[in-house]
Every structure is written in structure tokens, then in C-alpha cells.
Amino acid sequence: PWSAQTPLCPTHQSLKMAAVSDALTAPVKWAQRADSLYVTIALPDVKDEKIELTKDKLSFKGTAGGKEYFAELEFLKPVNPEDEGTKWKCLPRSIQMVIMKETEEEEFWVRLLKDKVQEKGQCSIDWDKYVDEDDEQEAFDQSNLEGAQGFGGGGPPGMGGMGGMPGMGGGPGGAGGMDMAAMQQMMAQMGGGAGGAGGMDMASMMAGMGGGGPGGMPPGMGDMGGFEDEADSDDEGGLPDLDDDGEEAEALD
């Protein structure tokens, strides 16, 4: 019977080796500044790309021209995948990325990868972005990376998901604490019926908004219930009694 200790049959081994050999090594170009790397996977029209970045390694798999490509690049020194400046974008003629170094150093890296042999066979200098470390260093031209995404996925770096927009609640950082369930209930109550304009239940609405001020209002708005008190105070302050005015007029006559 077969077990984990049983060697694979020659046919199975050959199929496995063929699957690996079918994936071609992706060509890579790179340049650097004191604080960052610019890495380009020089393949056009890449599809089904999968890119992962850790502080030590960049992994890539994708299809171009109907062929599968891969890259496993172990960096010479650590990088910072969490930095908001670290980002990538798939372009029509290549995949380009800026990767921030973990530590900014005065001296440039002597090479990109730990493995000299791998770098010689797979990587080349991107002369369009190259500068000598003794020259005045300008930041990389990142015009091609407009709208690029971070390696954590989602939107462009720094957006961190929509969360809650200020004043709307519904997510971290949103003021007022208004959630979608409360909003849906409020909209249902606005559909019609008694109890205010369009059947809108103001008490439920204000409770749903959950502002930081009294009565569910946003801070600084005060207590809306004060309108009733003001109406009462107007009645008590009162206009002169019409009968009294009549008596005063007769006295003057």
C-alpha cells in the first residue's frame, strides 16, 4: 500500500518537474535611492498576477503571452512592506513598484539580492532610473504609479478603506456613531404616515444619529427640547391684556 514514505513513481515525478519547468523566470529591472528601491517586472500584458512582499522577499506569479512566469527575490537587506510609500501597479508593458528600505543608508546596496548567481541571471540595472550614489539624488519619477495600491491589498496607500466618513459614523473614526441599521430604519419611517412630515419619526432619527450632544444632536447643538420651554416662557412673559388696554384708553379719554 502507498504511504507518505513511498517514493513517487517516475511518471508522477516527471509531471511535477514538468509543471515547475513550464513556469519561466520573470525578468527584473531595478534601481535604488538611499531610502527606496524601484523594481520592474519586465513582462507586458500580465494577467492573473499574484504578488506578495515581506521584509525579506518579493514573490511574483503571473501569465504573459499565454505563458506562466514566476520570481522569488530574496533581498540583500530588509525592506518595509508596511510603509505607505511602498506600492505597486500593473501597467500595460510591465509591473512596477516602489519598495521602501527598512533603513535609509548613506551607502547604496551593492546588489539587490542575497544570491549573486540568481541576480546575475535574472536581474539587471534599470538605467532609465539609475543614479550614482555620489550624485545629487532626486526622488524616483512615480508618474506611472498614480493610483497604485499597497501590498496589503485594497485601495491606494493611505486610504485604509472607507470606514466611516467624518460626521457620518458607521466605521472607525466616524463622528456621531450613526450605523447603517439605524439609517435604514430612519429611511423606512420617512416613507409616510402620521407623526411629522412624511411620517418621519424625529425621535428615532435623532437616536439613530447618536451625536455627542444632548438629545442625540451633534456636539454644540444643544437640546432641541428647549423649543417647547421657550414657547411656554413666551406665553408667561405675555403681551398686555387687551381688556387692560381698553381700560387705559378710556381713562385717557
Side-chain angles (χ1 to χ4, degrees):
W2 185 89
S3 71
Q5 306 299 324
T6 304
L8 294 174
C9 67
T11 303
H12 194 167
Q13 285 180 322
S14 61
L15 289 174
K16 184 176 181 181
M17 293 177 64
V20 173
S21 62
D22 285 344
L24 303 174
T25 301
V28 174
K29 299 191 299 182
W30 77 289
Q32 66 177 311
R33 299 294 186 266
D35 64 342
S36 57
L37 309 169
Y38 202 108
V39 178
T40 300
I41 297 174
L43 293 171
D45 301 320
V46 176
K47 298 178 181 178
D48 303 321
E49 67 276 5
K50 294 181 180 179
I51 302 178
E52 296 180 359
L53 179 68
T54 68
K55 69 175 185 176
D56 300 314
K57 186 171 68 174
L58 173 69
S59 301
F60 161 78
K61 290 181 181 179
T63 303
K67 298 179 180 180
E68 293 185 358
Y69 289 84
F70 79 100
E72 293 286 337
L73 309 177
E74 186 175 1
F75 297 116
L76 178 66
K77 297 181 180 181
V79 299
N80 188 352
E82 304 298 329
D83 193 291
E84 64 178 12
T86 298
K87 53 191 174 182
W88 69 279
K89 186 175 183 180
C90 188
L91 300 166
R93 299 185 63 83
S94 62
I95 295 177
Q96 299 183 20
M97 61 196 78
V98 171
I99 301 174
M100 304 304 295
K101 297 178 180 178
E102 185 176 72
T103 304
E104 180 175 348
E105 301 175 352
E106 292 184 4
E107 294 184 0
F108 276 12
W109 292 8
V110 294
R111 59 181 182 275
L112 177 64
L113 307 181
K114 280 188 175 181
D115 189 329
K116 294 181 181 180
V117 176
Q118 180 187 2
E119 178 156 355
K120 185 176 180 179
Q122 186 174 5
C123 304
S124 61
I125 298 296
D126 188 341
W127 295 107
D128 291 333
K129 300 185 181 300
Y130 172 85
V131 295
D132 191 277
E133 62 181 307
D134 295 328
D135 296 339
E136 182 178 350
Q137 296 181 31
E138 295 182 357
F140 287 119
D141 177 5
Q142 300 187 31
S143 56
N144 285 341
L145 297 180
E146 183 176 353
Q149 61 180 313
F151 282 87
M159 292 187 69
M162 291 302 291
M165 294 181 66
M168 290 296 292
M178 183 176 183
D179 59 25
M180 291 304 297
M183 179 180 288
Q184 291 172 354
Q185 181 181 6
M186 179 186 74
M187 297 303 294
Q189 291 167 345
M190 292 177 66
M200 181 175 180
D201 185 343
M202 291 300 295
S204 296
M205 176 186 134
M206 302 314 299
M209 291 180 66
M217 290 298 290
M221 292 294 290
D223 190 343
M224 293 296 290
F227 287 123
E228 183 177 351
D229 295 338
E230 291 178 8
D232 292 342
S233 63
D234 289 343
D235 291 342
E236 293 171 5
L239 293 171
D241 194 313
L242 291 178
D243 292 339
D244 293 342
D245 288 345
E247 294 175 359
E248 291 178 4
E250 290 178 0
L252 289 175
D253 292 340

